[in-house]
Amino acid sequence: MRTLVIVPTFNEAANILHTLDEITLYLPSTDVLVVDDSSPDGTSKLVAARALDDPRIALLSRGEKGGLGGAYRAGFDYARAHGYAVVIEMDADGSHPAQRLPALVETLSTADLVIGSRWMRGGSVVGWALHRRVLSRMASVYVRVMLGTSVRDATSGFRAFRIETLRTIEASSTTSDGYSFQIETLHRAHRCGLTVTEVPIAFAERAYGHSKMTGGIILEALTRVARWRRHPFVPGTQPLAGATSLIATV
């Protein structure tokens, strides 16, 4: 199956080349699309240079910082336009273990969406303070209670979709921009009756750069989950999201 790993970036110059090396080492048959939000630190220049030497790498540059959800929606549109069968979400900062990429792809043989889970048996987190562990666990408990899903790690951003799954959940019409985007796609998959499976991962705190998590992102997630509980996703009723502004594709 043709596979695309989507890596959204903003100021990840210190991490991106190592991440690309790891992806192509553990999943050599995959292609990688870096969606960069005009990083001022030169991330896109590094990716563009690598793409010249490696046909598996592509760069999609957006004109401004538009949020995680917008970056993934642009990546999903690219995947559909280029005929990929499997789409994987992965962070650029080294926190998602590339060695687990084959496990995500293999598990899709019996699932529609596969999530790399920190909080299931066998999963772990390295380098987090206790309050961050508690916050992440409680966020997943909140999602399970409010939206009726059994997924242990509802906010994980390391996940693999069948392309048919993205069509079924109408991924292009999602509206979340922050980390609630991960909850929104999970909610839609659950509401569509799709099979969602978790595989354990060892999540490591980034070695370079700064986390993009803010209080506003957390508030967005809390309020959107409450809204989805009151007004659950119904397939075929969502307006399409606005077009994404792109600079170039390499």
Side-chain angles (χ1 to χ4, degrees):
M1 296 185 292
R2 290 192 69 210
T3 301
L4 179 70
V5 178
I6 302 173
V7 182
T9 56
F10 183 74
N11 286 346
E12 294 290 356
N15 300 304
I16 187 59
L17 294 183
H18 177 70
T19 297
L20 294 176
D21 288 341
E22 290 281 288
I23 293 170
T24 53
L25 172 65
Y26 289 104
L27 205 62
S29 62
T30 196
D31 292 336
V32 185
L33 175 68
V34 176
V35 183
D36 184 68
D37 280 4
S38 296
S39 298
D41 72 344
T43 299
S44 63
K45 293 180 180 179
L46 293 174
V47 176
R50 175 63 61 88
L52 292 175
D53 297 324
D54 190 339
R56 296 170 296 181
I57 309 299
L59 169 68
L60 191 156
S61 294
R62 303 203 301 163
E64 59 185 6
K65 193 172 187 295
L68 184 73
Y72 276 128
R73 283 187 288 272
F76 294 162
D77 290 345
Y78 178 98
R80 284 189 291 266
H82 289 79
Y84 289 96
V86 171
V87 179
I88 299 172
E89 299 177 358
M90 185 172 178
D91 286 353
D93 60 14
S95 59
H96 294 157
Q99 60 265 35
R100 295 297 285 160
L101 285 167
L104 263 64
V105 174
E106 291 165 10
T107 306
L108 272 182
S109 63
T110 56
D112 301 298
L113 165 60
V114 181
I115 297 175
S117 178
R118 297 161 291 186
W119 306 126
M120 70 179 297
R121 185 182 297 275
S124 62
V125 171
V126 178
W128 271 15
L130 178 61
H131 75 277
R132 289 191 66 185
R133 293 172 182 262
V134 171
L135 179 62
S136 180
R137 281 183 176 271
M138 291 305 297
S140 286
V141 170
Y142 176 72
V143 171
R144 289 202 302 273
V145 171
M146 293 291 283
L147 301 182
T149 177
S150 61
V151 169
R152 306 293 299 177
D153 195 348
T155 62
S156 171
F158 191 35
R159 50 181 67 186
F161 300 83
R162 293 175 179 268
I163 198 70
E164 294 86 356
T165 300
L166 296 177
R167 295 191 187 101
T168 300
I169 68 173
E170 302 171 27
S172 292
S173 72
T174 55
T175 58
S176 301
D177 287 323
Y179 284 84
S180 58
F181 173 78
Q182 309 297 0
I183 304 172
E184 184 174 11
T185 55
L186 171 62
H187 169 60
R188 290 187 174 206
H190 175 69
R191 290 285 298 171
C192 290
L194 301 181
T195 300
V196 181
T197 302
E198 293 177 273
V199 297
I201 64 167
F203 180 98
E205 175 64 348
R206 64 164 58 233
Y208 303 101
H210 302 283
S211 172
K212 309 300 192 297
M213 182 64 69
T214 65
I217 289 173
I218 295 172
L219 180 61
E220 179 199 26
L222 292 174
T223 56
R224 284 179 176 268
V225 168
R227 186 186 312 160
W228 294 325
R229 179 181 174 88
R230 293 193 304 271
H231 306 289
F233 171 70
V234 178
T237 64
Q238 308 301 310
L240 291 178
T244 303
S245 174
L246 307 179
I247 293 178
T249 303
V250 177

